[in-house]
Amino acid sequence: QSPLVESGGGLVHAGGSLRLSCAASGFTLDAYAIGWFRMAPGKEREGVSCISQTDGTIYYADSVKGRFTISRDSAKNMVYLQMNNLRPEDTGLYYCGIEASPLSFQTECVLSAFGSWGQGTQVTVSS
């Protein structure tokens, strides 16, 4: 069983918003780098946003800059991905990944850097 559980996906119209959540049990997410990735039909998994646990760096893919915001809620042991002004091309299965090793996201967020994943939550944006 995955240590991570994503939720918050759904079906929205273009221009709408969703907030995805990544929850963990048995450990503290603040100690981990967190990455949100998505897999769209016919495409490879894409790094959407990542947040460091050490130096505060945050990465956003160019396609989501200005629309998505990643954040931590230490009290609830959750990480969120607020997605605004959604577009049909944002459709996909969204995963959160974690990594205990110190990671910095000055310029990129690499899939292979993350060691554990949740099962994903589906986001569908209709035009």
Side-chain angles (χ1 to χ4, degrees):
Q1 186 174 356
S2 172
L4 302 171
V5 177
E6 301 95 336
S7 61
L11 172 64
V12 295
H13 292 296
S17 297
L18 287 172
R19 188 178 75 163
L20 305 185
S21 300
C22 178
S25 59
F27 59 95
T28 302
L29 283 175
D30 280 355
Y32 292 79
I34 309 293
W36 282 100
F37 290 76
R38 67 187 178 192
M39 183 177 291
K43 296 184 179 180
E44 293 187 358
R45 201 177 302 190
E46 173 190 18
V48 175
S49 181
C50 298
I51 184 167
S52 171
Q53 79 278 48
T54 55
D55 64 5
T57 51
I58 293 176
Y59 167 88
Y60 293 103
D62 287 342
S63 58
V64 307
K65 282 180 181 176
R67 301 187 298 121
F68 290 12
T69 303
I70 191 171
S71 63
R72 297 181 184 268
D73 186 331
S74 300
K76 295 183 178 179
N77 200 30
M78 301 275 280
V79 174
Y80 302 109
L81 185 68
Q82 178 66 44
M83 307 188 297
N84 297 328
N85 192 21
L86 283 160
R87 304 168 180 170
E89 54 264 39
D90 294 318
T91 294
L93 188 61
Y94 283 69
Y95 302 82
C96 67
I98 60 172
E99 176 54 43
S101 301
L103 293 177
S104 181
F105 302 114
Q106 300 266 6
T107 59
E108 64 179 359
C109 178
V110 180
L111 179 72
S112 60
F114 293 84
S116 296
W117 298 90
Q119 295 300 308
T121 184
Q122 178 68 34
V123 172
T124 304
V125 185
S126 63
S127 58

